[in-house]
Amino acid sequence: MAGNPNYDTQAPADMDYPEHERTYNLFLSMFKWGTIGVIALLLGMMVGLLGSGGFLGGIGTFILALVIGYFAAR
């Protein structure tokens, strides 16, 4: 069985709310840009590998999708 806790259960510890909010905003930003990057990569692969765009068409589509994602997410 678990023993008694060695900390005060009646008075919770203070939270560092500004740091919590900075961490959460960083997480949201990383998630947003990661999603944009993955979508751009998949579009570039679709055009380059499945379409008739070839290697340069895939890279162009990837860059174009990143630019569109940048302006859409600002």
Side-chain angles (χ1 to χ4, degrees):
M1 285 295 190
N4 291 332
N6 55 2
Y7 53 87
D8 187 11
T9 58
Q10 301 300 322
D14 292 332
M15 293 265 311
D16 187 5
Y17 286 106
E19 182 64 29
H20 176 77
E21 290 176 5
R22 280 193 299 271
T23 303
Y24 183 67
N25 288 333
L26 177 64
F27 169 76
L28 288 179
S29 178
M30 290 174 60
F31 184 79
K32 175 176 67 174
W33 290 111
T35 302
I36 290 171
V38 167
I39 289 171
L41 180 65
L42 289 174
L43 286 173
M45 289 172 61
M46 181 182 70
V47 169
L49 297 173
L50 298 176
S52 61
F55 181 72
L56 292 178
I59 290 178
T61 304
F62 172 72
I63 292 172
L64 180 67
L66 283 179
V67 169
I68 291 171
Y70 173 76
F71 285 110
R74 283 195 311 155

